[in-house]
Amino acid sequence: MRGMTTRRHFLAASAGAGLAPLLGQGQTRSANDQIQIAIIGAGGQGSDDVRSSVAGGSKLVAASDIYQGRLTRMQEVYGKDLFVTRDYREVLARPGVDAVIIATPDHWHQKIAVDAMNAGKDVYLEKPMVQRIDDGRLVVDAQQRTGRILQVGSQRVSSIVYKKAQELMQAGAIGKLNMVEAWWDRNSAIGAWQYSIPPDATPENIDWDRFLGRAPKVPFEPVRLFRWRNYRDYGTGVAGDLFVHLFSGMHFVTGAVGPTRVYAAGGLRFWKDGRDVPDVLLGLYDYPETAKHPAFNLALRVNFVDGGSENSGFRFIGSEGILTIDRGVTIAKTPREAEPGYTVDTFPKAIQEEFLKKYYEQYPRRNPTADAIRPQAEDRYLPPQGYSDHRDHHRNFLAAVRSRQQVIEDSIFGFRAAGPALLSNVSYFEQRICTWDPVTMTQKF
Ligand SMILES: NC(=O)c1ccc[n+]([C@@H]2O[C@H](COP(=O)([O-])OP(=O)(O)OC[C@H]3O[C@@H](n4cnc5c(N)ncnc54)[C@H](O)[C@@H]3O)[C@@H](O)[C@H]2O)c1
C-alpha cells in the first residue's frame, strides 16, 4: 500500500540510520501496527499516561526513572522483561521505541523532549510544556526541524465536554464573550502536593545528580525529589501545574492564542512546609480581539486552602448567557427585562408624575399573564459515565504517530498555554505586570 510502512520495514529501514528520524512527515504506518512506547519519569502521572496509552493500543517496551523503586514497580506491573534504566538516553538509543512519554518534573521537559526528537522519537510531553519561557522556542524549533509528532499532555483539549463547549461558543450560545473565570481549589495535604516519601529513598536507590540536572547542586534531600512541585528549581508553582490546564482548556474552547497583559497576586498562606511557591494565586489577563473572539478578560484562581472541598471549573460570560464547565457543560440564560424600569422616588412629586407619564406612554402598563413569564433557560450536557479525556488524548497522539497528521495539542499550542502561565509566576515574584506577544510567543517585558 502506498505510503504505508509496516513495523518490519520501518525497523529495517532504520538499521544503520543511527539516531536520524525514522519516519518523516508524509509517511504513514499500518493501522494494525502496534506502536511501541517508553516512559521517561514513571511516577504518578507517568504511570497514568502509560495506562491510558496502552488502553489506546500501544505497547510499553521500556521505562526510565532515576528512582529505582519506580523501575521495580514498572516491572511488577508490565513484566520482568521490560527494559528499565536510570539513564533516559538508553531509552532514546533503542530502535524498537517509536514514541516516548515524558512525565518527569518540569525542569527536565525541554531537554529530554529535544533529545528525543533528535533521536527520531515521537513525543507525548507532559504539561507544562516547559519550565522556563526561554525553553519554549527550543521545543517548537526541534519539532519543526525534525518533523516529529509532539503532543503536550493537557488532556482537556481532547475532551468531548470541551468540544461541546467549543461548539456552543461558536454557535453564539452566550452572545458576545466578555469575560472568562476559571479556578482550581483544593483542601487536602495531597492536593497541596505533600506526596508520600518512600522509606527506601537512599542515595543508592536514587540518581541524585540526574534528578537535579540543570538545577542548582544541592545535597541529597528526598523531599526535593518526591515533592518537587514545591520548589521553583524543579517545578513551576500552581501556575505551571494548574493554570496551564485552565489556559489550555480556555484556548481550545474560544480559539484564543493568549493574553497580551498578565498580572498575578497571591501568597503562601497555609502550607508552610519549606516550599518556595505560593499556595494561593490569582491571575488577571487581557485578551485582545482576534478573528476568533471579541476582546475579553480572564481571571484565574488556585487556592490550596479552600475550607470547602476540591472543585474546579470555568464560567464563560457573554452578553446573552453564561456557559459553565464542571463535569459537563451548562448554558444558563436570563433574558433582559423588556423595559428598563425607573428610579424616581427621590424626585419632587410633580417631576415624578411628569416622568411616569412619559414612561408609560413608551412602555404601556400591562397586567402580567402567564405568557409574560420569561423563560429562564438552562441546558445541561453531561458526558457518559466513566468517560476519560486522558484516554482520548493518548488515542489522538497514537493516531497521529500512525498517520503523521497533526495532533490536537502541538508544541505551539502547548507553548501558548505555558507562556502566560509562566509569566504569572514572573508577575507574582517580581511584583509587576508582564506583557506577552501571543502570536510570536515572546515576552515583551
Ligand atoms: N496532565 C495531567 O493532568 C498531569 C497530572 C499530574 C502531573 N502532570 C505532569 O506530569 C509530570 C510528572 O508529574 P508527577 O506528578 O507524575 O510527578 P512524580 O514525582 O510522581 O513523577 C516524576 C518522576 O520523574 C522521575 N524523574 C526525575 N528526574 C528524572 C530524569 N532525569 N529521568 C527520568 N526520570 C526522572 C522521578 O523519579 C519521578 O518518578 C509533571 O510535569 C507534571 O506537571 C500532568
Side-chain angles (χ1 to χ4, degrees), residues 25-38:
Q25 263 167 343
Q27 289 175 280
T28 53
R29 50 191 296 151
S30 157
N32 300 324
D33 207 2
Q34 198 172 30
I35 291 161
Q36 301 204 150
I37 59 153

Side-chain angles (χ1 to χ4, degrees), residues 40-47 49 64-67 70 85-88 102-109 112 124 126-128 153-155 184 195 210-212 225-229 236 240-241 245 390:
I40 299 175
Q45 185 63 13
S47 302
D49 281 329
S64 173
D65 202 290
I66 54 84
Y67 163 46
R70 295 245 153 91
T85 172
R86 292 184 182 190
D87 183 351
Y88 74 88
I102 301 170
T104 60
D106 306 342
H107 69 306
W108 270 105
H109 285 188
I112 299 179
Y124 183 101
E126 267 305 340
K127 50 49 60 175
S154 232
Q155 58 272 18
W184 201 321
Y195 302 130
R210 199 168 274 136
F211 161 61
L212 292 179
L225 165 59
F226 291 96
R227 298 180 183 174
W228 56 266
R229 282 174 174 79
T236 47
D241 199 39
H245 277 304
H390 195 234

Side-chain angles (χ1 to χ4, degrees), residues 11 55 58 68 114 126 142 165 174 183 189 202 204 240 261 281 285 321-322 327 350 364 375 389 393 411-413 422:
L11 293 178
S58 74
Q68 194 60 38
V114 171
E126 267 305 340
I174 62 165
W183 63 95
T202 60
E204 292 69 44
R261 238 157 58 101
L281 195 70
Y285 310 86
I322 297 178
R327 197 165 73 76
D389 53 10
H393 204 47
S411 59
I412 291 182
F413 188 103
L422 299 177

Side-chain angles (χ1 to χ4, degrees), residues 279-307:
D279 54 10
V280 174
L281 195 70
L282 305 169
L284 294 177
Y285 310 86
D286 289 344
Y287 278 74
E289 182 180 354
T290 70
K292 296 271 175 70
H293 59 74
F296 67 92
N297 287 97
L298 168 69
L300 298 184
R301 181 184 80 227
V302 163
N303 184 350
F304 280 178
V305 205
D306 181 298

Side-chain angles (χ1 to χ4, degrees), residues 33-36 52-59 395 398 402:
D33 207 2
Q34 198 172 30
I35 291 161
Q36 301 204 150
S52 287
S53 182
V54 168
S58 74
K59 181 172 184 221
R395 283 210 179 96
L398 295 173
R402 282 205 175 82

Side-chain angles (χ1 to χ4, degrees), residues 21 25 110 113-118 123 125 129-130 133-150 152 410-415 439-442:
Q25 263 167 343
Q110 175 264 318
V114 171
D115 285 354
M117 289 187 282
N118 283 339
V123 171
L125 176 56
M129 186 177 95
V130 288
I133 300 262
D134 292 346
D135 293 341
R137 263 281 150 212
L138 301 174
V139 175
V140 172
D141 289 349
Q143 184 189 8
Q144 290 173 347
R145 179 173 42 77
T146 61
R148 303 317 304 175
I149 300 290
L150 185 143
V152 178
D410 65 7
S411 59
I412 291 182
F413 188 103
F415 191 23
V439 177
T440 60
M441 299 172 288
T442 42

Side-chain angles (χ1 to χ4, degrees), residues 75-92:
Q75 286 186 323
E76 283 172 3
V77 177
Y78 293 97
K80 280 222 158 0
D81 291 339
L82 182 71
F83 175 81
V84 295
T85 172
R86 292 184 182 190
D87 183 351
Y88 74 88
R89 291 170 302 182
E90 290 184 13
V91 164
L92 300 187

